[in-house]
Amino acid sequence: MTQPESTAPTSAALVGEDWFGSPYYALLYHHRDETEACFFIANLVRHLELRPGDRVLDIGCGRGRHATCLHEHGLEVDAFDISPDCIAVAQRYAGATLRFHVHDMRLPFARGGYRSAFNMFTSFGYFADDDENARVVAAAAQALDAGGWFVLDFLNAHWVVPRLTPFSVQVIGGIRFEIQREYRDGFILKTIAFEDGGRSFRFVERVKDIRLPMLKDFFAAAGLHVQSIFGDYDLSAYVADASRRVILIGRKP
């Protein structure tokens, strides 16, 4: 993930502050519970016919929400994220068959050894250069054994972009989060501004508008054959202007 912007006009700027690993991020997105994540994972485990003991990889794992769901199915899980703060939180779930690592998703993590790899909940599309986004898919493919699966769960820009809410406010835990959303230069931008403890904060989340044809190109370049395309966590069919997600499942020959 790219480093979000942060400013603090009433005090020292939080240079290098990790938005994704911060308590403010966890507070704003507290509604993302494990029920939805585990529902999706259960559907994928059945669809891919994964078995207890299979080794799988969670790419861009954040605080470990999907990794723990995978582990509950008896899978041996390695999970990584570029954020040390996220991994520090995730480590509370770690064990002999659930391991967390700090790692850049653009770089190879392993050469084979995994039955399946997952990139979940739009942990993708952070980079302006499409070659860098393609490297994420290539690194995932490299980690798979022959016949292994790669699952990419990404936002469906066809649905999201026309429905962006320009401005909203959420008050959570006594903090007023002011959220602006816009589409600019091929990116979906969300700016989060708030104050706490006499300090002002501003962070920007940025995801590139990458649509299905280019995602398919990334898979093909990585040697992955697209087997299924779904539009939601119940694995319903993908419909460009109606589905909230675009979920690609590719297989390594």
Side-chain angles (χ1 to χ4, degrees):
M1 58 186 64
T2 54
Q3 179 64 46
E5 300 175 15
S6 65
T7 60
T10 60
S11 62
L14 296 185
V15 177
E17 174 81 358
D18 180 358
W19 165 238
F20 295 98
S22 78
Y24 297 113
Y25 179 90
L27 181 63
L28 180 61
Y29 295 115
H30 70 283
H31 60 282
R32 294 178 178 172
D33 60 31
E34 293 187 6
T35 302
E36 180 185 66
C38 289
F39 169 76
F40 184 29
I41 290 297
N43 288 334
L44 289 173
V45 167
R46 284 193 295 270
H47 181 76
L48 301 177
E49 298 183 345
L50 298 178
R51 298 288 181 261
D54 284 347
R55 295 184 69 206
V56 301
L57 187 62
D58 185 1
I59 298 167
C61 68
R63 295 165 178 255
R65 186 163 56 116
H66 292 94
T68 57
C69 296
L70 288 164
H71 190 246
E72 288 173 2
H73 287 271
L75 303 170
E76 183 175 344
V77 183
D78 281 298
F80 66 77
D81 198 278
I82 200 170
S83 166
D85 290 333
C86 283
I87 293 302
V89 173
Q91 287 291 359
R92 61 185 171 181
Y93 304 116
T97 55
L98 176 55
R99 298 173 291 269
F100 293 95
H101 316 265
V102 176
H103 184 75
D104 186 328
M105 66 175 69
R106 291 168 291 184
L107 304 177
F109 182 80
R111 294 184 181 276
Y114 292 92
R115 176 64 178 163
S116 186
F118 301 85
N119 182 282
M120 312 297 280
F121 206 74
T122 314
S123 299
F124 185 76
Y126 299 121
F127 310 110
D129 187 339
D130 286 329
D131 287 343
E132 291 191 88
N133 291 310
R135 285 170 59 192
V136 176
V137 179
Q142 188 176 86
L144 298 174
D145 288 330
W149 303 96
F150 176 49
V151 179
L152 176 63
D153 165 34
F154 195 55
L155 60 81
N156 177 23
H158 283 287
W159 189 90
V160 171
V161 172
R163 294 170 176 81
L164 287 177
T165 302
F167 181 78
S168 63
V169 173
Q170 295 184 50
V171 180
I172 308 171
I175 297 176
R176 175 186 168 92
F177 294 94
E178 297 184 350
I179 303 170
Q180 293 181 315
R181 301 171 182 85
E182 62 178 319
Y183 184 85
R184 188 171 73 232
D185 299 329
F187 281 87
I188 299 163
L189 304 176
K190 180 190 288 187
T191 302
I192 302 109
F194 58 94
E195 295 185 359
D196 186 38
R199 307 178 75 184
S200 297
F201 301 87
R202 178 178 175 273
F203 294 94
V204 179
E205 297 178 9
R206 187 183 74 160
V207 176
K208 191 166 188 180
D209 178 355
I210 305 175
R211 307 206 178 190
L212 184 57
M214 183 167 287
L215 294 174
K216 287 182 175 179
D217 287 346
F218 291 163
F219 274 54
L224 296 170
H225 299 162
V226 175
Q227 303 290 305
S228 304
I229 305 172
F230 299 114
D232 212 334
Y233 297 143
D234 59 0
L235 304 190
S236 55
Y238 171 76
V239 180
D241 58 357
S243 298
R244 298 192 179 202
R245 313 297 299 171
V246 54
I247 301 164
L248 272 73
I249 300 181
R251 193 167 199 181
K252 186 173 182 176

